[in-house]
Amino acid sequence: MNMIDGKGTLEPDLEFLRALVDGGGNKTQYLTGHAFVVGGSLYAFQCIANWLLIIFALNMPGPAWLVLHILPTVIFIVYCIWQGMRYGIGNTGNATSRAITAAFQAAGVTNLALILIFAPAAIARNDFTIWLFHPAIVFALQGAAWLTAFQLRRRVWLLGVALGWMASAIALGLLIGSLTYLLVAGLALFFFMTVPGIVMMRLSKKQD
């Protein structure tokens, strides 16, 4: 990011952020919304499916459990790679391609850092509870990102999504050790990731 030198050099960076939420025929909004729909749907399904299996005491063979836990991530990674290859990788291309690539890179690096913090601690202490704090923090970070979007665009629905993520993060922290944890996580992913993604896609089409 550019350094502040008193001459407004942060403006290009702010424009990138605005492009992520500001329709105006911007393809970035559509692509970002599409990514939210894909990721939110996959992980919401994963959480709610796990919750239902546990609630109804449904037995699944080991390989099926493994597929349920790994396949959503594999699909989303393949999707991200496909989208990156199709619309550009790195700092080449127009502002749209650079912004969407930067968004995926930032999200990936942040999540990787969190995994490397929580996973070793959970394994070393043989305590899965430690790992359950990871999604709560990711949700809180999502809330912060949407709050930034609201501060840039001053649209009420963006604030609603931000508050939804933050409330969900707090709820997950309080529900660690409860089966309701999975249900809340699944519903949050659907209502605050999938649904906003659909809204972003529709707004981008209306303003094309």
Side-chain angles (χ1 to χ4, degrees):
M1 180 174 289
N2 297 326
M3 297 297 290
I4 299 175
D5 59 6
K7 297 181 181 180
T9 55
L10 278 177
E11 187 61 27
D13 301 292
L14 293 177
E15 287 302 323
F16 280 131
L17 292 174
R18 292 190 183 102
L20 294 175
V21 294
D22 183 30
N26 199 322
K27 199 170 188 177
T28 298
Q29 176 163 314
Y30 180 86
L31 294 174
T32 305
H34 195 276
F36 286 162
V37 171
V38 173
S41 299
L42 285 170
Y43 290 114
F45 168 78
Q46 183 185 53
C47 290
I48 294 176
N50 273 286
W51 178 75
L52 289 172
L53 289 171
I54 295 173
I55 287 293
F56 293 104
L58 300 177
N59 293 321
M60 290 179 61
W65 274 101
L66 192 61
V67 168
L68 179 61
H69 284 81
I70 294 178
L71 189 58
T73 297
V74 171
I75 293 174
F76 192 58
I77 289 174
V78 170
Y79 165 82
C80 290
I81 293 174
W82 169 79
Q83 193 178 70
M85 293 177 64
R86 183 176 181 183
Y87 295 106
I89 299 176
N91 293 322
T92 60
N94 56 27
T96 296
S97 63
R98 294 200 303 273
I100 193 65
T101 300
F104 277 117
Q105 289 174 340
V109 171
T110 301
N111 281 307
L112 177 60
L114 290 172
I115 290 171
L116 294 177
I117 291 170
F118 285 97
I123 294 172
R125 293 166 175 75
N126 194 28
D127 185 359
F128 185 69
T129 300
I130 295 174
W131 173 252
L132 295 179
F133 283 99
H134 169 252
I137 293 177
V138 171
F139 280 26
L141 291 173
Q142 284 288 318
W146 283 93
L147 184 59
T148 300
F150 165 72
Q151 291 172 333
L152 287 169
R153 301 309 309 165
R154 294 298 176 183
R155 295 178 180 175
V156 176
W157 76 274
L158 295 173
L159 177 60
V161 175
L163 295 177
W165 276 115
M166 292 180 181
S168 299
I170 295 171
L172 291 187
L174 296 174
L175 290 170
I176 287 178
S178 168
L179 289 180
T180 310
Y181 179 100
L182 287 170
L183 178 61
V184 170
L187 292 176
L189 285 163
F190 178 76
F191 285 109
F192 305 125
M193 190 169 184
T194 302
V195 173
I198 294 172
V199 172
M200 292 174 71
M201 291 171 67
R202 289 184 176 179
L203 286 175
S204 68
K205 286 184 176 180
K206 285 181 179 180
Q207 299 180 30
D208 276 339

